[in-house]
């Protein structure tokens, strides 16, 4: 099985297209299930964030899987395949692993180095696990990617290479001290927004959320006040600054809710939380993901980014080499097993011809024969493991199977053998 990645992001698609393709809730779960049920796919995981939608799958046929998965993304997003295809990127095998490692480290983010992607990939993994669409291959890959991402954020300065989406958006709002702020939503992005506002000097902070208890917990953690979602129009009357990131699929703020007083609106959701028509209301400034994307383009990549690129290359090589070495293990086990069978058969024949041998002599003969076989097999098995990590390494294991007529799938070959 090989790993296939199909997706689109802020690098390949405008925000309007990302908004159309964005999947969440039941739609996301159904897409995940349908991909995994495809005849070409064994495992599946979907990463859906504000600036990317990516499907990871283990497949046995590249072209057939590419066609099927692209079609399913089209069906569940409602975007025709012919419109979707120009914006899609495809990564396969080693390139798919490299892309995932880079993405989790924040190298592929709209704002380089942002740490939110770690939690988003972790959530995607959890969802796939809950729905039973992920197996050993993808689970091991994603777990390793998360470890690489944590190492990148802990050991380098990548977090400072670029601001978070929240910080990048708020940079366009001007001074924040003493201003009244309303945060709509209580998820991870909303929590980040609330804490960022607090750090930047906002002292009057209101959290509005569909589930009041969750909003209350966030409000208490930042010294703010919680309200029900239906109270947003009333809170807008006094707010100087609004951040919305519910991603609920419909507009929670519309032109009719605004009074014409000066207000800065930051929409971090896909699909949009705030109706773009609010820009027509006097005194209103709306910043969304598309504006943030343009504001951070051309940001200088510093030493931290280069350090993370080197880290990704190092971790990628180690992961791929370990995988290639693991693939040759059944062949080595089969060779050892076959040799053990030959030794056992020949010793049996010898003892039938020389029944007068006492127990001590039998043990010494058996030990000597086993040592000879072990020494003969040691160098080939060590070398085939080493060569397996080089380009085209699978061919060495294949040659070993041909030379010794091995079947590594035989049940007896898969028993525990000291390698």
């Amino acid at each position: 099985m090989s790993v296939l990645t199909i997706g689109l992001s802020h690098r390949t698609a405008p925000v309007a297209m990302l908004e159309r393709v964005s999947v969440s809730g039941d739609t996301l779960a159904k897409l995940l299930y349908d991909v995994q049920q495809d005849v070409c796919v064994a495992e599946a995981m979907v990463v859906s964030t504000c600036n990317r939608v990516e499907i990871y799958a283990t497949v046995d046929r590249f072209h057939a899987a590419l066609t099927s998965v692209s079609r399913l993304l089209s069906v569940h997003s409602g975007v025709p395949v012919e419109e979707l295809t120009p914006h899609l990127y495809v990564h396969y095998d080693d390139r798919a692993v490299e892309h995932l490692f880079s993405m989790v480290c924040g190298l592929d983010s709209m704002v380089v180095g942002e740490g939110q992607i770690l939690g988003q990939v972790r959530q995607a993994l959890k969802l796939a696990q809950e729905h039973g669409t992920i197996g050993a291959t993808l689970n091991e890959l994603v777990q390793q990617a998360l470890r690489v991402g944590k190492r990148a954020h802990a050991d380098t300065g990548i977090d400072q290479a670029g601001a978070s989406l929240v910080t990048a958006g708020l940079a366009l709002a001007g001074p924040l001290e003493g201003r009244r702020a309303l945060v709509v939503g209580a998820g991870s992005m909303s929590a980040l927004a609330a804490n960022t506002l607090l750090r930047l000097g906002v002292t009057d902070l209101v959290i509005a959320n569909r589930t009041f208890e969750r909003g209350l917990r966030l409000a208490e953690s930042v010294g703010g006040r919680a309200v029900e979602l239906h109270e947003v129009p009333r809170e807008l009357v006094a707010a100087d600054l609004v951040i919305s990131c519910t991603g609920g699929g419909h507009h929670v703020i519309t032109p009719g809710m605004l009074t014409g007083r000066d207000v800065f609106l930051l929409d971090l959701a896909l699909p949009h939380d705030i109706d773009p028509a609010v820009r027509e209301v006097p005194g209103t400034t709306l910043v969304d993901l598309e504006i943030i994307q343009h504001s951070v383009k051309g940001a200088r990549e510093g030493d931290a980014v280069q350090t993370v690129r080197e880290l990704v290359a190092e971790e990628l090589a180690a992961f791929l080499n370990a995988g290639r070495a693991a693939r040759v293990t059944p062949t080595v086990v089969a060779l050892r097993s076959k040799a053990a069978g030959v030794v056992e058969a020949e010793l049996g024949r010898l003892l039938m011809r020389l029944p007068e041998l006492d127990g001590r002599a039998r043990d010494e003969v058996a030990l000597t024969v086993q040592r000879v076989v072990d020494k003969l097999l040691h160098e080939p098995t060590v070398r085939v493991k080493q060569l397996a990590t080089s380009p085209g390494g699978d061919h060495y294991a294949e040659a070993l199977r041909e030379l010794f007529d091995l079947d590594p799938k035989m049940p007896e070959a898969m028993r525990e053998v000291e390698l």
Side-chain angles (χ1 to χ4, degrees), residues 291-312:
I291 292 177
I292 294 175
Q293 181 178 8
H294 289 301
S295 74
V296 299
K297 272 186 177 178
R300 183 177 64 86
E301 293 191 356
D303 294 339
V305 173
Q306 182 57 35
T307 299
V308 173
R309 292 190 189 282
E310 293 170 359
L311 183 152
V312 167

Side-chain angles (χ1 to χ4, degrees), residues 266-340:
L266 178 57
D267 188 353
L268 298 176
L270 275 181
H272 286 314
D273 275 355
I274 303 176
D275 187 341
V278 301
R279 290 191 173 97
E280 304 300 322
V281 179
T284 300
T285 300
L286 172 62
V287 170
D288 57 19
L289 292 172
E290 191 166 20
I291 292 177
I292 294 175
Q293 181 178 8
H294 289 301
S295 74
V296 299
K297 272 186 177 178
R300 183 177 64 86
E301 293 191 356
D303 294 339
V305 173
Q306 182 57 35
T307 299
V308 173
R309 292 190 189 282
E310 293 170 359
L311 183 152
V312 167
E314 170 195 325
E315 293 280 2
L316 176 66
F319 182 82
L320 295 178
N321 286 343
R324 292 175 184 132
R327 285 198 293 271
V328 81
T329 296
T331 297
V332 174
V333 172
L335 178 60
R336 292 279 194 174
S337 181
K338 185 167 187 176

Side-chain angles (χ1 to χ4, degrees), residues 16 23 57 81 85 87 89 135 149 157 160 213 217 256 319 382-383 385:
V23 289
V81 171
T85 300
H87 302 289
Y89 46 80
Q160 286 74 48
E213 290 75 16
R217 285 196 297 271
F319 182 82
V382 169
R383 286 291 292 156
K385 286 182 179 180

Side-chain angles (χ1 to χ4, degrees), residues 6-8 12-13 21 53 66 70 73 81 84-90:
I6 299 174
L8 69 166
T12 64
V21 179
V53 177
L66 176 60
S70 300
L73 181 57
V81 171
L84 192 59
T85 300
H87 302 289
L88 293 178
Y89 46 80
V90 178

Side-chain angles (χ1 to χ4, degrees), residues 6-9 18 21-23 28 31 46-49 51-55 73 88-89:
I6 299 174
L8 69 166
S9 73
L18 289 172
V21 179
S22 177
V23 289
L28 174 57
L31 171 62
V46 179
V47 178
S48 182
T49 75
N51 56 20
R52 76 179 64 248
V53 177
E54 294 183 349
I55 298 173
L73 181 57
L88 293 178
Y89 46 80

